[in-house]
Amino acid sequence: MSTGSFLKRIIGEIVHPSESARATRRARNVLGIARSLLSERGEVSGAALARELLAEYERLPQAAHPVFFDLLVTEFAPLAAEVAAAADAYRADPSPGNLLALQRAVEPPRQELMRRLNMAPGGTAALVGMRRLVLAGLGEHPGWKPLEADLAHLLTSWFNRGFLMLRRIDWHTPAIVLEKLIEYEAVHEITGWHDLRRRLEADRRCFAFFHPVLPDEPLIFIEVALARGMSDAVGPLLDPDAAIANPAQADTAVFYSITNCQDGLRGVSFGNLLIKQVVEELGRELPRVQRFATLSPLTGFCDWLKAARPRLERAAGGRALVAELDRLADPGWSGDEAAARTLQPLVMRLAAHYLLEGTRGGAAIDPVARFHLGNGARVERLNWLADASETGMRRSAGLMVNYVYDPADVERNHEAYAKEGRVVASHSLRALARASPLSRRPARA
Amino acid sequence: MSTGSFLKRIIGEIVHPSESARATRRARNVLGIARSLLSERGEVSGAALARELLAEYERLPQAAHPVFFDLLVTEFAPLAAEVAAAADAYRADPSPGNLLALQRAVEPPRQELMRRLNMAPGGTAALVGMRRLVLAGLGEHPGWKPLEADLAHLLTSWFNRGFLMLRRIDWHTPAIVLEKLIEYEAVHEITGWHDLRRRLEADRRCFAFFHPVLPDEPLIFIEVALARGMSDAVGPLLDPDAAIANPAQADTAVFYSITNCQDGLRGVSFGNLLIKQVVEELGRELPRVQRFATLSPLTGFCDWLKAARPRLERAAGGRALVAELDRLADPGWSGDEAAARTLQPLVMRLAAHYLLEGTRGGAAIDPVARFHLGNGARVERLNWLADASETGMRRSAGLMVNYVYDPADVERNHEAYAKEGRVVASHSLRALARASPLSRRPARA
Amino acid sequence: MSTGSFLKRIIGEIVHPSESARATRRARNVLGIARSLLSERGEVSGAALARELLAEYERLPQAAHPVFFDLLVTEFAPLAAEVAAAADAYRADPSPGNLLALQRAVEPPRQELMRRLNMAPGGTAALVGMRRLVLAGLGEHPGWKPLEADLAHLLTSWFNRGFLMLRRIDWHTPAIVLEKLIEYEAVHEITGWHDLRRRLEADRRCFAFFHPVLPDEPLIFIEVALARGMSDAVGPLLDPDAAIANPAQADTAVFYSITNCQDGLRGVSFGNLLIKQVVEELGRELPRVQRFATLSPLTGFCDWLKAARPRLERAAGGRALVAELDRLADPGWSGDEAAARTLQPLVMRLAAHYLLEGTRGGAAIDPVARFHLGNGARVERLNWLADASETGMRRSAGLMVNYVYDPADVERNHEAYAKEGRVVASHSLRALARASPLSRRPARA
Amino acid sequence: MSTGSFLKRIIGEIVHPSESARATRRARNVLGIARSLLSERGEVSGAALARELLAEYERLPQAAHPVFFDLLVTEFAPLAAEVAAAADAYRADPSPGNLLALQRAVEPPRQELMRRLNMAPGGTAALVGMRRLVLAGLGEHPGWKPLEADLAHLLTSWFNRGFLMLRRIDWHTPAIVLEKLIEYEAVHEITGWHDLRRRLEADRRCFAFFHPVLPDEPLIFIEVALARGMSDAVGPLLDPDAAIANPAQADTAVFYSITNCQDGLRGVSFGNLLIKQVVEELGRELPRVQRFATLSPLTGFCDWLKAARPRLERAAGGRALVAELDRLADPGWSGDEAAARTLQPLVMRLAAHYLLEGTRGGAAIDPVARFHLGNGARVERLNWLADASETGMRRSAGLMVNYVYDPADVERNHEAYAKEGRVVASHSLRALARASPLSRRPARA
């Protein structure tokens, strides 16, 4: 807990002692219903109790949430004595029966509580929302970890891929879903309905996963542009007034944005599965589309460049290089064409090095690279001045990468990366990386 | 294992040693895919591997199933050493971290395997089917208990009430669902499409629970007749050529059949919830319907009567009573009107006693009574010669019971039954029971 | 009117004079509502009046129908004086305004009545049913012709192809639709649900046209078998217990039954459009299916053969031929293998002649041939002993024909047939026809 | 034709003679396909020809439309000689057969052409669009009247109430429909998605009629506010940031906007039916809603006031009144509270007079009044300063009216209005009207 928030809470409690007491009382009341729901009575009146519990939980003031979560952690936990006894019995005789008893002893009652709460309409959404709050408060309340783990366990089981439905999103989709795309889009902001509509035109595709009980809530969505050739800049893709191309003439599907929508499902991974299923879908719909590539930022590149400065200074001609790179600090550098042209070879080589060689413990440094390489993609191409947005310039020096998903190679690429830490990349990118001043394997001739 | 089946297996193995070896080999092959699915590779190619695993599992010959299940039990179990170590660590320091580690150690890998298998289309249905097989073999293979427990745990979580959809079944329902009603109906056999159609006419209702990924598979269904007054015999309800009544004039909904469809979901209880939701639905659709009653068999009555014979003989005038009851052994007794009239008071009193007083450990002896009383219903009326079918005569001496679900009393009734073992019944039934020769509380006057 | 029915009506009127008067009174009452519906009041309360009218019409006893239709013909007709005046005005000055006035004068008020009746739910179905009754009674009541013409005009406009929806029928189709297939199938009777189910398995297809306001009423349906090669006998296709083939291996779609369902839509032609759209659908779903052929009866063959007997006798060796053909009169002829083998060449040649040369006024004699040739199909093959059913033997001497729909040739074939009366046929069929004893173009060599 | 447009066309033809010739050529080409579609060939290849015709028609440049319509009028008309002959035959013998022949002779071939065009997907929409163009050009091309009449006849038949579906519009409606509400709303402009969303919140309802083949095209829609009491001003209803009321507490449904969407369906009346069905729908959903009222403009009031000035001047004290009314010319008059208070009684009385007495040939002068009175509504209340929008002030002097739809009285009210020209109004409105300086029936006392 930071000093600031600690003080704030102290002061809060001093100023509003009664409010704090009231919050506690209300949280305790809600958990009283929870106990009924877990009791014998819950067997027969479960649905009604679950509805009541949910309604009361949702009426809790924000101040009561920490109390509520604290109590869930402490009072709906496995009983230490029971766990210990079951553990002892198992130690003495590791029979199936004793194992089963131990499994039961270690399962917290709040797991069953959550399952019963789910009988109420809206229960699943409430549990996802609860995990969002718990995750957000974990820094301040590390004691909530067991509660978070239980929620994660349950939601991972319930949001199993087998239960998700892939749905295409287009202009026939209900507004209640579309407005969520506008709200959630995290990579390239959607500025409004006009912008959104362009992203759903004939030369675009958008797909999302949904859970059957949350038909209005996309879990994750991906935006695709159908193009001739791999896009080398994101600006034209995002222009709401760009001309609409004929999708029948496209040979490439460019995945230019993928967004996880539900904070409460963090760590319940859908991205890998979504990309693969969308590749299948598009292959069926548009047999002429033969290449599936992303257009992705290098979100960690500029930070890494800063950190790499000392190493770079030590390289041959390092001081001059560093001086040249300093120009990137000038926000308008890309507007100076001559300067940009001078910078390009150096920055491209360093970026290639960053992607291909900059691994940490066998894993790529760049988080986006880590995701796509982990899914079996190949690093195909670096694009200069491909994202002129403020964020793009600040984090990626305007660069973007195409990762290519080739269904035939995905598994092999993944193995190479996961087992040997080897990044599969195109010839040209490998050449660029070898030419980097930081390369340990200097470029031939 | 019975001697018969043991011999059969021995002989099977003698005659076809190679077949047995082949079954083992095939089961091992399938589990090889299962291991891949659990490995690193499963992270990236999970969906494809799950599909492959499922396809191979479904191609397994019947002979390979026992081997397959045996291996799931032994090779996909928690590692005893790891469990022991985690248990020790927890004993030494019962911290949340150590609890979490212990929880993870006791969870069998086959749980995760099942969750991953579910990525394949058809996965859920396959797991339900697997549990059906495991349950059916449990008598012969008690070692499968841990596997069965894992499947039960998973399916209980996945078939949570919150995920089920109530759907009305009528003549607009797809044939693929309707034919399953014909196949599954367990209480009053449906003889074909003509019979089924009558059960879906305007004066009937049928509802079922479905899971979103099994849209063609009813999990449980209930059949309802809309009537004026509580039905006192099931024959007219089942007559496929009976005239169709006007549902707008009905005041009573008679639940005359409720069937669990999926053996693989045994113990995952839906019946209680289904009845309550159907009561709500009908109340909305037909506000004039004020009474919700079942028309149910006394499935254990005749067996109980046989067992009660010695006690009855010891009662006042017991020998004569027993002699009279012996007539029930004659299959045509109900055709002899005079005999039937003589038997009626005695049998009705004994049946009332059976229902109201015949408890064992606080629970009703009759399994159907146990279900409805546990749900909070009240025993309302006994009906003489209400089910003339062969089964009805053999098990229930032709008697049927009306249990009444009164939404206002359900919870109180349940509490009375669950906590005090008290059966809530109508005046008339209580009077009948008191008049029973076995009654400890003799009827007044 | 036949003497029988005339007498029946006379007697009916003698016996029940009051019933007849009551029928008239009721019909007049209904038409009173009809007049309100056409009046000013209908403008504001149209929907309510239409509902009332429909309800009363449907309650009319059968005896009142003829009265009702008679009155519709006489009292809701254009006024002769108005028509004459408008005709005169147009004769004097054929201006657009006078034409419009004449158009309005000749439109019978019952047309507008029917359009307004359609505001009531169920109106369209009622009008289709009304035309069915009117058509059925036309022989006895030729005066109903104008009423029939009005209904035909309206229904042709409303059941325009642009409003029909093609739907695949399979085991997921609601039972309420499926039972109508069983009821309506006119070519090869469906004996029940078991039989129906086989016709909807993986190696079969069934499609129907529906109108949006009659979602439970197929208008026309077609049954298709997916096969390797063109089927040469219908028995195996109809066997409910035949093994199910793999549709992915089929190269031919065999249209073995096409049924118009609504007598009230007679003459509103859908068959041609249905076949063509089904060819498109199957081409999309199963690109390996390259041939689209029917397996059709020669429904008029045996009748024609009887009529052709004198001509045949006059041919070279005619007496012997006729004697041979007489064997067909023996119901068991096909069981005598030797006899059948002797008959085959002669009957096949005559059948080919019947199909290819037996035209009347440029049109094929056989009604089924007329339909398929008019649609642009080609006569491909005659199949010996292809339909052993009682009807098949009696009407077609057991023969069946394959007509082939080749999308590339359909229009050309149709033109040849429609303009020149030329039947497009395969080489082998033409050779067979030339070898017929009735041929005017004797076979070469 | 106005001089301007005439000159423009002359000049157009001078400048681009070739373009004009090309337009004619293209229009003729399209009609060549139309002739094929009507020919024998259309029988077999109708769907393909219709698709071709539609595609070519839609590719026609705007300049070719007048040529196209001219040719449809002249070359696809009934043949005068045939009509005359049929008329003569009918005159000589008015038999049913001759009537039928005359009916056929007067039906223009373009009617059948339109019905066949409708076989193409998109045909119905194209015909609606064609009528829109024809209607728009009718002033300039009065010769198109017969074409317009044919389109009207066909579309009236096809858009029969029995084929329309009432759908509720809310935030679950696809965006493709919602954006059309924004585009079409004609009464109170929707400024964007934020505004639209408020109009679809829990205390609002929106319903539209759709035709099955145009599922994305509302034909007419109505916007309703659920309120306590009748709204007396439209501003609060339109405020996108107004608080959302609880619909369960509403007792009144206020219809504040009704918009016909399709110019091509002008005169095909849906409004009356829509209001009545929405009253039914709301009655079912919200039994507490007992009053159904509009909040409507007096669109012709200010114009009428201007025209009534001479008459007013002649009334007692007329000069002073006219001088007072002149203040309305000052756009800011309503901002001057004192002035407004002085004006109110006079303007309200005149408005009441305008609504209740200002009839022309038995029909109300105000077009909105004419619509609602014709539907059987009652004039209930005049609301002062109820619409402060520029249009509202300019046309209605800021006044709005509540018309009340009382299902029990609708038919009687309609009869009174339609047959006797009597406007049914509340007491208070009648009192206001009597107090008007123009009243012929001076107020008592």
Side-chain angles (χ1 to χ4, degrees), chain D residues 327-351:
Chain D
R327 297 199 197 172
L328 290 176
D330 168 11
W333 68 265
S334 63
D336 176 348
E337 221 174 292
R341 211 159 10 200
T342 319
L343 268 167
Q344 180 170 359
L346 173 61
V347 173
M348 295 279 277
R349 284 166 189 164
L350 286 166

Side-chain angles (χ1 to χ4, degrees), chain A residues 40-41 43-45 47 51 78-80 83-84 87-88 90-91 94 96 99-100 102-104 106-108 114-116 118-119 124 145-146 149-150 153-154 156-158 160-163 211-213 272-273 276 280 374-376 410-411 414-415 418-419, chain B residues 40-41 43-45 47 51 78-80 83-84 87-88 90-91 94 96 99-100 102-104 106-108 114-116 118-119 124 145-146 149-150 153-154 156-158 160-163 211-213 272-273 276 280 374-376 410-411 414-415 418-419:
Chain A
E40 178 71 54
R41 213 184 128 209
E43 300 282 330
V44 67
S45 303
R51 271 198 290 264
L79 294 177
V83 175
D88 287 348
Y90 179 81
R91 291 297 274 133
L99 179 61
L100 194 58
L102 180 55
Q103 285 167 342
R104 284 184 182 154
V106 300
E107 194 189 274
M114 291 162 190
R115 284 191 291 261
R116 293 196 180 188
N118 198 53
M119 281 191 281
T124 312
K145 182 66 200 145
D150 285 337
H153 186 269
L154 201 70
T156 303
S157 180
W158 282 353
N160 185 292
R161 170 66 193 93
F163 301 136
H211 190 276
V213 298
N272 172 14
L273 293 159
K276 271 159 207 169
E280 273 182 40
N375 292 341
V410 150
E411 199 173 313
H414 164 76
E415 297 265 312
K419 297 206 171 142
Chain B
E40 178 71 53
R41 214 183 127 208
E43 300 282 332
V44 66
S45 303
R51 270 198 290 265
L79 293 177
V83 176
D88 287 348
Y90 179 81
R91 291 297 274 132
L99 179 60
L100 194 59
L102 181 55
Q103 285 168 340
R104 282 180 184 158
V106 300
E107 193 189 274
M114 290 163 191
R115 284 192 291 259
R116 294 196 179 188
N118 198 54
M119 283 191 282
T124 311
K145 181 66 200 145
D150 286 335
H153 186 269
L154 201 69
T156 304
S157 180
W158 284 352
N160 185 291
R161 171 64 193 94
F163 301 136
H211 189 275
V213 298
N272 172 14
L273 293 159
K276 271 160 208 169
E280 273 182 41
N375 293 339
V410 150
E411 199 173 315
H414 164 77
E415 296 265 313
K419 297 208 171 140

